[in-house]
Amino acid sequence: NITPWQSKNNFLSLFLNLYMGTKAVLCCPRILPTSVLILTAWKIHLRDKPSCTISLNRETNQTRKNNCTDGRISWASRPDQNPELQIHPVSISHEGDYTCQMGTTDGNFERTYHLQVLVSPEVTLSPGRNRTVECKAIAGRPAAQIFWAPEGDCVTGKEYQDNGTVTTRSRCHYPDGNVSTVTCLVSHPTGNRSLSIDLLPG
Ligand SMILES: *[C@@H]1O[C@H](CO)[C@@H](O)[C@H](O)[C@H]1NC(C)=O
Ligand SMILES: *[C@@H]1O[C@H](CO)[C@@H](O)[C@H](O)[C@H]1NC(C)=O
Ligand SMILES: *[C@@H]1O[C@H](CO)[C@@H](O)[C@H](O)[C@H]1NC(C)=O
Ligand SMILES: *[C@@H]1O[C@H](CO)[C@@H](O)[C@H](O)[C@H]1NC(C)=O
Ligand SMILES: *[C@@H]1O[C@H](CO)[C@@H](O)[C@H](O)[C@H]1NC(C)=O
Ligand SMILES: *[C@@H]1O[C@H](CO)[C@@H](O)[C@H](O)[C@H]1NC(C)=O
């Protein structure tokens, strides 16, 4: 007797953005009130790593097959009472797919999180000689996008750091003598920012 709403939500897929350094708790799907839970398993596929599993067999009340070696990923509390998964603290290496599978007497219920980790970039805007300015969005994740108002003759590039962050830099030249103030707009999932600066004379 699965209602359409529940049947539609048996297999749910969600995108989840988390800030680096925070504590995250991921929930399992809701099962029917009448269902008896047999097995709960978290299948975790981090980027560039083999997948690993943390599971609890409800019939024997035993945590079995826990081959996730990252100590920052664990049950949030007592899994026999609450099968939530905790990630603490969240780091860039935790990006990937997390699936909670619940095997019940009424079939399987599944919820998958596609987890992306956010790092807010540091934004700077500095004047250069000869009516140029440079805007930088330093060490953000994902890479920030830079726009200008008004638009000049711009060269924009990205630098990828070893720790997974990206620095976006854009240098613009304003040959038009009428333009005296320019604004750099940084677009990023952690929030958009804008900085303005006066062009140096001469
Ligand atoms: C965990 O176990 C599964 C199944 O036995 C295996 O496919 C996977 O590679 C293992 N993962 C790690 C990180 O050892
Ligand atoms: C399951 O195991 C936990 C911890 O080992 C124990 O506290 C709990 O009472 C057990 N529950 C059942 C239903 O056996
Ligand atoms: C200044 O900008 C002008 C116009 O684009 C260019 O011709 C000139 O070479 C630049 N001078 C310097 C020092 O960059
Ligand atoms: C990543 O590396 C860059 C450059 O070395 C540094 O500025 C930044 O703070 C680092 N960020 C994180 C999240 O480790
Ligand atoms: C710049 O100034 C000139 C002369 O005053 C004018 O004709 C031109 O439209 C101006 N350009 C802009 C972009 O405002
Ligand atoms: C940030 O800027 C982008 C591009 O201009 C826009 O699509 C997005 O809606 C903005 N986000 C917020 C939170 O204002």
Side-chain angles (χ1 to χ4, degrees), residues 14 69 80 91 101 124 180:
L14 304 161
T69 51
D80 58 315
S91 90
Q101 294 178 330
T124 65
S180 61

Side-chain angles (χ1 to χ4, degrees), residues 14-19 22 95 114-118 142 189-190:
L14 304 161
F15 288 92
L16 182 65
N17 282 340
L18 295 176
Y19 281 87
T22 57
E95 283 191 352
H114 306 285
L115 196 150
Q116 182 180 51
V117 177
L118 302 181
T190 60

Side-chain angles (χ1 to χ4, degrees), residues 68-89:
C68 299
T69 51
D70 187 329
R72 297 165 295 185
I73 301 175
S74 62
W75 295 109
S77 60
R78 283 183 42 180
D80 58 315
Q81 294 176 350
N82 185 347
E84 289 171 348
L85 189 78
Q86 171 180 301
I87 310 171
H88 186 222

Side-chain angles (χ1 to χ4, degrees), residues 58 60-62 78 80:
R58 302 291 298 224
T60 61
N61 192 18
Q62 267 172 1
R78 283 183 42 180
D80 58 315

Side-chain angles (χ1 to χ4, degrees), residues 15-82:
F15 288 92
L16 182 65
N17 282 340
L18 295 176
Y19 281 87
M20 199 181 81
T22 57
K23 172 171 151 179
V25 173
L26 308 186
C27 302
C28 286
R30 283 206 290 169
I31 62 172
L32 301 179
T34 51
S35 304
V36 176
L37 190 56
I38 301 162
L39 181 76
T40 305
W42 279 97
K43 300 217 160 136
I44 301 167
H45 197 172
L46 303 179
R47 219 153 273 172
D48 310 323
K49 298 222 179 80
S51 63
C52 70
T53 303
I54 300 178
S55 64
L56 178 75
N57 185 329
R58 302 291 298 224
E59 285 172 328
T60 61
N61 192 18
Q62 267 172 1
T63 299
R64 34 161 245 187
K65 212 167 65 171
N66 181 351
N67 68 351
C68 299
T69 51
D70 187 329
R72 297 165 295 185
I73 301 175
S74 62
W75 295 109
S77 60
R78 283 183 42 180
D80 58 315
Q81 294 176 350
N82 185 347

